Amino acid sequence: MSFSYNTKAELSRLTPENTCCAVAECYGMLLYGNTFNAREIKIITGNTELGKHIIDMFLAAFKTSFDIMPDEDEAGKQAYIINDSKKIGRIFEVYGFTKNELLAHHVNLSVLESECCIKSFIRGAFLTGGAVTDPAKSYHLELVTDHYNVSRQTYSLLLEMGFMPKETSRSGNYIIYFKQSTAIEDFLTFIGAPIRAMELMSAKIEKDVRNTVNRKVNCDTANVTKIVDAAAAQIESIAKIMNAGSFDSLPEKLRQAAQLRVENPELSIKELAEISMPPVTKSCMNHRMRKLTEISSTLT
């Protein structure tokens, strides 16, 4: 499965604590989905976990089921459709609109009065209108809609939440996007996908280590390779500790050593020891790295 697929699968395992957040998440899915008008609501996805999540969310937000759903063994893209006018009318009412209004052309911000609801809305927008590339290849995350006002208002919400995305248009669609790896990490964490954020961070570290090797290979190949291989193994151990959620429980000295290693993958143990605060001996830094490796080896 792709990185984007796995990200949406991770998000699909979340259950909003409050009904207002379920309503907000469905709002994002509807405005960034396929069809949302007075005649039909349609969301199409090839992600089976997301499909189940959509059903659960509509029940939680509106106590409403879909009129047309795919068979359980149906492969490929799957459509979830509501065409009952009474159901659609009730959903419109939840968002403060009548069926005669162009609901899908703008965001009713009164539905998103709290930060938790804004977060849920943006999560929903990503689930049906978002994509993120494999970080091993490139860094790119985007939200796509064919409604200009929806895109502009979502952009403003992201600014309000402290993000600095960029905007563009393509083939009649309006796009909000991120190109910086740290911004994508923060975005994924914000909407509830910390595992994917950590995977992106690990891929970035690995890429940085590889780039370091390439930059130094013509200077002192043997020495650099030895340093980078050791650093890569140490960083892999540190990433494993982070993924297991055990990083914050480490002693302060080990956390400092781990942070130095992640931020300086090109440095030797001796150089790491020299920039430690306070400076320590090479033997001491070696001991701390071995301890981190030992801790990592005990984690599944």
Side-chain angles (χ1 to χ4, degrees), residues 59-258:
L59 284 173
F62 316 116
K63 293 181 171 53
T64 297
S65 59
F66 285 87
D67 299 317
I68 301 175
M69 292 190 295
D71 295 331
E72 290 186 4
D73 58 351
E74 187 175 332
K77 295 288 186 180
Q78 301 173 340
Y80 298 80
I81 300 171
I82 296 176
N83 49 30
D84 183 293
S85 61
K86 292 183 179 179
K87 291 182 180 179
I88 295 175
R90 288 199 300 271
I91 292 172
F92 271 48
E93 289 175 6
V94 170
Y95 297 120
F97 291 86
T98 69
K99 290 196 295 182
N100 296 324
E101 294 183 80
L102 294 174
L103 176 60
H105 288 180
H106 67 283
V107 181
N108 180 0
L109 296 176
S110 66
V111 180
L112 311 175
E113 293 183 343
S114 63
E115 182 175 330
C116 64
C117 289
I118 294 174
K119 182 184 300 185
S120 297
F121 173 81
I122 295 172
R123 181 189 307 126
F126 178 81
L127 285 171
T128 56
V132 57
T133 58
D134 182 346
K137 299 176 181 178
S138 63
Y139 304 125
H140 183 86
L141 183 148
E142 64 181 25
L143 299 173
V144 182
T145 178
D146 58 358
H147 300 307
Y148 174 76
N149 287 331
V150 170
S151 186
R152 287 298 299 155
Q153 289 168 311
T154 303
Y155 180 84
S156 296
L157 288 171
L158 286 168
L159 291 180
E160 185 180 333
M161 292 297 102
F163 293 97
M164 296 293 291
K166 296 184 182 297
E167 295 180 290
T168 189
S169 60
R170 182 175 65 231
S171 303
N173 289 318
Y174 302 96
I175 302 162
I176 297 169
Y177 69 95
F178 296 94
K179 284 286 190 183
Q180 297 289 333
S181 61
T182 52
I184 297 174
E185 290 167 16
D186 291 342
F187 179 89
L188 292 178
T189 301
F190 175 73
I191 64 173
I195 294 175
R196 265 355 101 187
M198 186 63 70
E199 187 175 328
L200 190 154
M201 188 183 301
S202 297
K204 177 185 174 182
I205 291 170
E206 182 178 349
K207 189 181 295 185
D208 287 345
V209 170
R210 292 179 186 276
N211 289 340
T212 300
V213 174
N214 291 334
R215 285 194 301 269
K216 293 197 172 185
V217 68
N218 293 326
C219 299
D220 188 355
T221 302
N223 190 45
V224 169
T225 299
K226 181 179 178 181
I227 292 172
V228 172
D229 285 348
Q234 291 157 4
I235 289 171
E236 183 178 354
S237 296
I238 293 166
K240 187 175 180 182
I241 294 171
M242 289 180 174
N243 287 335
S246 302
F247 184 79
D248 289 339
S249 63
L250 292 174
E252 182 180 353
K253 292 179 180 179
L254 290 185
R255 290 200 307 272
Q256 183 200 50

Side-chain angles (χ1 to χ4, degrees), residues 29-72:
M29 290 195 287
L30 288 166
L31 291 177
Y32 277 80
N34 300 87
T35 306
F36 185 24
N37 57 46
R39 295 182 302 278
E40 182 181 65
I41 287 173
K42 180 192 293 183
I43 299 175
I44 299 175
T45 179
N47 190 313
T48 54
E49 290 197 55
L50 175 54
K52 295 175 184 176
H53 182 66
I54 290 169
I55 295 171
D56 292 339
M57 291 300 296
F58 271 66
L59 284 173
F62 316 116
K63 293 181 171 53
T64 297
S65 59
F66 285 87
D67 299 317
I68 301 175
M69 292 190 295
D71 295 331
E72 290 186 4

